Amino acid sequence: MTPRAALRDPKQDRSRATRQRLLEAAVACLAEHGWARSTVAVVAERAGVSRGAAQHHFPTREDLFTAAVQHVAEERSAALRALLSHERREQRDRHGQRDRHGQRDQRGQREPGGPGRVAEVVEALVDLYTGPLFRAALQLWVVASYEEQLGARVAALEARIGRETHRMAVEALGADESVPGVRESVQGFLDMARGLGLANLLTDDRARRDRVVAQWARILDDVLRAPS
């Protein structure tokens, strides 16, 4: 047994695990049931713990969902980082092949990866905005609009995630924001993706969404390939 393992307290491990289950349950309940029906008792049942155990970690409902705000932010950031890491690996592979053939543009920069890669990035980002984490985030937005205790924290976290999402989208797409119109096109796409996430709350019109996403991929590819 390593010294670190020997120093670990099983009680603390169980406490951390319980807290994690409660946060995950809170996010799931928000996404599925909304704020009004996501009581501490409902979340505790979903997490498989007693209401007393839930209140030990989060004495009030506001404490629970304030922590859930942070949890959602961290999970969304992790999903974005995973997407960017995947795109970096893909780009390294593509760039390695191009470098061997000397395929660079006149500015000495690598050419865009083509409509196939742009479409992959666009689809992956839209999937993030139409998935359960974003559904939970939307519920938090609504609650934050009238719950003062949550409002400031949600606004600050969303501003941070918005900046992070834009930066990662630019990197994943290989976009050069010094070119006029590129920054606005990327941000317009992200705004559109949020809108699809909002529409997805009411109905999952996947066929329509796929057509919209394909068109935005073509628009972005044209913008990214346009001469500066």
Side-chain angles (χ1 to χ4, degrees):
M1 179 181 296
T2 65
R4 180 176 294 181
L7 292 173
R8 288 177 62 179
D9 185 343
K11 276 190 175 181
Q12 289 183 352
D13 287 345
R14 288 195 296 271
S15 179
R16 282 192 290 267
T18 298
R19 189 178 190 278
Q20 181 71 13
R21 289 204 307 274
L22 285 165
L23 291 175
E24 291 172 355
V27 171
C29 286
L30 273 176
E32 295 174 15
H33 307 307
W35 171 260
R37 291 192 291 164
S38 296
T39 64
V40 173
V42 169
V43 172
E45 183 178 1
R46 175 74 174 248
V49 304
S50 68
R51 181 169 181 171
Q55 290 179 320
H56 170 74
H57 288 275
F58 305 104
T60 68
R61 189 186 189 205
E62 287 72 23
D63 290 335
L64 172 59
F65 286 100
T66 297
V69 169
Q70 181 68 44
H71 179 71
V72 168
E74 290 170 355
E75 289 293 302
R76 288 171 65 196
S77 292
L80 285 168
R81 287 192 295 271
L83 170 62
L84 183 57
S85 177
H86 172 74
E87 287 303 317
R88 282 171 176 162
R89 288 195 299 271
E90 292 287 316
Q91 287 181 33
R92 280 198 298 269
D93 291 344
R94 284 189 293 267
H95 291 166
Q97 293 174 357
R98 288 178 184 173
D99 290 347
R100 286 194 295 273
H101 295 88
Q103 294 179 359
R104 291 174 179 267
D105 66 19
Q106 294 177 349
R107 293 169 297 175
Q109 295 175 336
R110 293 178 174 87
E111 297 176 348
R117 182 182 67 80
V118 171
E120 288 174 4
V121 174
V122 167
E123 290 167 6
L125 283 165
V126 169
D127 284 345
L128 291 179
Y129 279 110
T130 54
L133 283 174
F134 189 70
R135 289 175 68 91
L138 285 175
Q139 295 288 346
L140 289 170
W141 289 2
V142 173
V143 176
S145 69
Y146 57 83
E147 288 285 339
E148 184 177 351
Q149 187 169 349
L150 293 175
R153 179 165 297 208
V154 170
L157 289 171
E158 283 302 323
R160 189 198 79 196
I161 291 176
R163 291 190 298 269
E164 187 175 7
T165 303
H166 185 98
R167 178 181 61 78
M168 290 184 176
V170 166
E171 185 171 344
L173 289 165
D176 181 358
E177 291 195 304
S178 68
V179 176
V182 168
R183 178 177 179 81
E184 293 77 11
S185 296
V186 173
Q187 190 58 53
F189 156 64
L190 293 174
D191 291 343
M192 180 277 299
R194 289 189 191 94
L196 289 177
L198 180 59
N200 198 51
L201 280 176
L202 300 176
T203 178
D204 185 6
D205 189 352
R206 186 171 297 276
R208 173 182 170 276
R209 185 167 73 239
D210 288 347
R211 291 194 299 272
V212 171
V213 170
Q215 179 62 19
W216 260 101
R218 288 189 288 269
I219 291 170
L220 279 175
D221 187 62
D222 289 343
V223 170
L224 296 177
R225 287 177 171 274
S228 59

